[in-house]
Amino acid sequence: MSAALTETEARVATIMTSPQRALGFDEITPDTSMSHDARIDGIDIDDFAHDMHQEFGEIVHEIPWLRFSDQRASFRGCGCLMLPFWLLWRLIVRSRGEPVIPPPNGGDERLTVRHIAKVIDQGFWSEPTDTE
C-alpha cells in the first residue's frame, strides 16, 4: 500500500506515471525517486520537464533535472555530432565486458516526488535534505 500523497505530490505522480513511463500511479510514494525508481533518465527528462511545465508552469525550470538523472547516453543539440565517437568508444569498452549502451544508473543523487512537490509549493528551488 502506498503512502498518502499530498495534492501536489499526486499531480507530480500522475505525470511521472504517464503511459510511456515505468511505474503505475499506485506504485508512487512521496519517496519515489524520479530517476532511480521511475526510470526517467536521459532525454526522457526533457519530456518529463515539458509535461511538468504544462501542469505547474515556470517553477519547474528552477529544478536541475539533469543533475538528478543519468545522462551518460544522452545527446542534445550539437552534441549529436559526438554520437559516432561515443559509439566507437562504447564498442571498445564492450570488449572489456561492459554493455554497448550502459543501462541507466539513476545518477548520484535522488530527486523524490516529495521534494519536487515541495519546490512547486514553495515556489523556488531548495536542496533536498536527508528526509526528502
Side-chain angles (χ1 to χ4, degrees):
M1 176 121 200
S2 64
L5 299 171
T6 67
E7 179 184 337
T8 305
E9 289 171 349
R11 290 168 61 197
V12 171
T14 298
I15 296 167
M16 193 176 275
T17 60
S18 66
Q20 71 272 21
R21 304 223 167 93
L23 294 178
F25 185 84
D26 292 340
E27 298 174 277
I28 301 288
T29 71
D31 295 319
T32 298
S33 166
M34 171 194 72
S35 183
H36 296 86
D37 303 322
R39 311 304 291 165
I40 302 172
D41 283 300
I43 60 174
D44 292 340
I45 289 293
D46 299 338
D47 293 333
F48 180 65
H50 176 267
D51 294 347
M52 292 289 289
H53 178 259
Q54 296 293 100
E55 178 72 17
F56 298 108
E58 292 297 317
I59 184 59
V60 301
H61 296 302
E62 298 279 323
I63 300 171
W65 300 109
L66 301 181
R67 178 177 140 196
F68 295 95
S69 63
D70 185 350
Q71 296 296 310
R72 292 176 298 159
S74 299
F75 298 93
R76 293 173 175 78
C78 293
C80 291
L81 298 174
M82 296 303 295
L83 181 62
F85 301 105
W86 180 83
L87 283 174
L88 179 62
W89 172 249
R90 294 308 305 171
L91 289 172
I92 292 168
V93 170
R94 184 173 188 266
S95 67
R96 296 189 312 226
E98 295 181 28
V100 174
I101 298 177
N105 68 4
D108 296 331
E109 301 176 82
R110 293 176 62 86
L111 181 62
T112 64
V113 169
R114 176 181 287 119
H115 192 71
I116 294 169
K118 176 184 173 185
V119 169
I120 291 165
D121 289 341
Q122 70 188 10
F124 60 90
W125 170 252
S126 61
E127 292 295 321
T129 63
D130 292 338
T131 60
E132 297 176 307

